[in-house]
Amino acid sequence: MTTDTPSSEAIDWHAPGAVLLASCYELGHPPLGVASPAAFLNRAGFRPAVMDVAVEAYAPERAKKAAFAGISVPMHAALRLGVSLARKVREDHPGCHICFYGHYALLNREYLLGNGADSVIGGEFEAPLLALIEGLAAGRAASETPAVGTRANPPAPYLEKLPFLPPDRTGLPELAHYAHLVRGGEAVPAGAVEASRGCKHLCRHCPLPPVYQGRFFVVPADVVLEDIGHLAAAGARHITFADPDFLNGPRHGLRVAQALHGRHPDLTFDFTTKVEHIIRNAALLPEFKSLGCLFIVSAVESLNEAVLANLQKGHTPADIYRALGIVRQAGISIRPTLVAFTPWTREADYFALLDFIEGENLIDEVDPVQLAIRLLIPPGSELLKHPGLLPALGELDAENFIFPWAHPDPRMDRLHKELMPLVEEAAGNEEDPARTFARIREVAA
């Protein structure tokens, strides 16, 4: 059963728990996808219950109380878990309005709306999410709310600048339940904040361009700093800037880092940025180091020039080496992310990647799972417009939210299948990365 307009009779929409916000996965961090809309809802007089099934058990009693359940799906893994969560919510409360929101809600809207979801929202979701709940509370159909997708109303991303609020993490598990930073042999609590949303770049394999269309939004520094203050008070000793690219607005990022260090000089931080932004902003990196930056995550993806061009990454193999030198000269660690398997990745490319990691002493800085990452092509992906992909592409697998593809060299697909259980087992056993790397090289050979 699904419901576009839950009956408002006998529902006190402002009662604690009448609205439920749920997260399934946010890379091990306390979920901004729940904490940010919770702040908007609380300011409007609602009292949402929250749930993060990544670190706590599903609580059926919260679902049974909820007239509305919002499920945050900012990434593919969260979506797969979110669909399973929605089934449980529907079973426990058949009349509940279920809304999926986030990047992957919009990309997979047809499947979701045809399989249990009442609405979907993408882009800057907080404002339309609040408007949807207020409309339902007033007895209006979800289809009457702009930027909300329903079976009767095709969705479009909401791309208006929000009046940002500091996220409200009330009710979420404590920081001790989330990812820690291992520093000097000690595991310290870490928190995640956003200094910006969206991205001005159009990398073909990224889920952001189909939603944000090259736009990004800056979160005011005072909002970011208030959020960091809350996390520090909760015990955080390291901050991850979860922006898609922290240096989309380099001067804004620097101002935020300066203010962070001024208020919390003992906090360290990390951020994610493109290879080309490292090169362009090389002069800023020593200051970031002095302000507490420990490492930078950067989407290296491949050392194959054709692969980089097909992904529209905006950098070359030579740029990768240049960026590595810039970051290291500043005294900062670099943590490359990779797309090790694509339809264009040759056998020699995989060994070149292994040689690069070993030769540049990156074994401890590249998570072994990166060497088993396979190109993910969701519905709506910009890659679907690229003619170079067509020979490898299969039909949409809607239930798994991907377009499958086959490598022209079957050995590459077999290698990927062998590596996935290897890296998963190694992670589960907390195996030394050097040992895992050696096993990966042995399997590849």
Side-chain angles (χ1 to χ4, degrees):
M1 175 180 176
T2 61
T3 174
D4 185 37
T5 315
S7 172
S8 294
E9 296 178 10
I11 296 177
D12 180 359
W13 284 82
H14 293 85
V19 174
L20 171 65
L21 299 177
S23 175
C24 301
Y25 180 66
E26 278 196 29
L27 296 173
H29 299 302
L32 287 163
V34 161
S36 181
F40 281 74
L41 288 166
N42 276 304
R43 187 180 65 171
F46 296 94
R47 295 294 176 263
V50 296
M51 187 188 308
D52 185 0
V53 296
V55 297
E56 61 180 333
Y58 167 68
E61 66 279 4
R62 293 181 216 173
K64 290 174 182 177
K65 288 179 62 176
F68 179 96
I71 300 176
S72 171
V73 288
M75 56 194 67
H76 185 262
L79 178 61
R80 297 190 65 157
L81 295 168
V83 168
S84 176
L85 175 62
R87 293 192 187 105
K88 294 177 182 177
V89 172
R90 183 68 71 204
E91 183 178 338
D92 288 325
H93 190 167
C96 182
H97 182 104
I98 296 178
C99 173
F100 284 82
Y101 61 92
H103 309 327
Y104 276 83
L106 203 63
L107 295 178
N108 295 278
R109 52 191 176 269
E110 292 183 10
Y111 177 86
L112 294 174
L113 292 171
N115 290 273
D118 298 296
S119 59
V120 297
I121 303 173
E124 301 293 272
F125 53 78
E126 288 89 341
L129 185 67
L130 173 58
L132 170 61
I133 294 168
E134 289 177 330
L136 293 173
R140 295 192 297 271
S143 55
E144 297 179 45
T145 306
V148 173
T150 66
R151 284 176 291 281
N153 185 37
Y158 185 82
L159 296 177
E160 301 296 325
K161 185 171 175 60
L162 295 174
F164 289 103
L165 298 172
D168 186 344
R169 296 178 177 82
T170 304
L172 286 170
E174 296 179 353
L175 280 180
H177 295 275
Y178 292 97
H180 283 53
L181 174 76
V182 178
R183 185 173 63 198
E186 179 188 9
V188 302
V193 302
E194 290 177 319
S196 64
R197 297 268 196 89
C199 186
K200 63 184 181 182
H201 296 278
L202 300 172
C203 302
R204 288 194 179 107
H205 63 309
C206 178
L208 288 176
V211 178
Y212 278 89
Q213 302 161 20
R215 298 190 63 186
F216 84 105
F217 301 91
V218 164
V219 181
D222 59 334
V223 174
V224 183
L225 268 294
E226 185 174 343
D227 191 22
I228 291 171
H230 292 160
L231 288 167
R237 292 170 59 189
H238 180 85
I239 297 295
T240 290
F241 286 101
D243 312 35
D245 195 309
F246 188 65
L247 297 184
N248 265 324
R251 293 296 169 183
H252 173 66
L254 184 60
R255 285 193 295 270
V256 169
Q258 289 168 336
L260 183 162
H261 187 68
R263 297 189 190 185
H264 308 281
D266 294 331
L267 281 181
T268 56
F269 64 90
D270 70 88
F271 62 81
T272 297
T273 194
K274 287 172 66 68
V275 167
E276 65 184 278
H277 284 174
I278 291 173
I279 295 171
R280 188 177 305 153
N281 297 286
L284 299 181
L285 295 191
E287 184 168 0
F288 279 120
K289 168 65 176 178
S290 71
L291 297 172
C293 181
L294 292 185
F295 62 91
I296 293 172
V297 178
S298 192
V300 165
E301 314 299 45
S302 174
L303 291 172
N304 179 302
E305 194 146 9
V307 172
L308 294 173
N310 285 330
L311 299 182
Q312 203 165 293
K313 281 305 302 174
H315 66 256
T316 66
D319 290 334
I320 294 168
Y321 285 94
R322 185 179 173 193
L324 180 59
I326 289 169
V327 173
R328 285 179 165 172
Q329 187 174 4
I332 300 172
S333 171
I334 190 167
R335 304 217 173 153
T337 61
L338 308 171
V339 182
F341 291 87
T342 76
W344 313 287
T345 305
R346 303 165 303 183
E347 170 193 335
D349 298 325
Y350 195 81
F351 285 100
L353 203 54
L354 296 176
D355 291 342
F356 165 73
I357 293 169
E358 190 168 17
E360 294 296 332
N361 298 312
L362 290 167
I363 290 176
D364 287 328
E365 295 176 289
V366 175
D367 191 316
V369 73
Q370 294 295 328
L371 288 163
I373 295 292
R374 182 179 173 89
L375 181 65
L376 181 72
I377 306 174
S381 171
E382 295 295 315
L383 276 169
L384 296 171
K385 304 173 185 177
H386 185 46
L389 179 66
L390 294 179
L393 197 63
E395 295 294 322
L396 173 64
D397 180 355
E399 291 188 358
N400 289 305
F401 317 111
I402 59 168
F403 280 87
W405 56 267
H407 199 284
D409 181 350
R411 295 177 305 160
M412 296 299 289
D413 286 340
R414 289 200 298 271
L415 174 59
H416 175 259
K417 289 179 181 178
E418 288 187 46
L419 288 181
M420 280 307 299
L422 186 157
V423 297
E424 289 172 358
E425 176 199 19
N429 294 335
E430 298 184 354
E431 184 175 74
D432 184 284
R435 169 62 182 147
T436 308
F437 182 85
R439 292 170 63 202
I440 290 171
R441 186 181 279 281
E442 183 178 353
V443 171

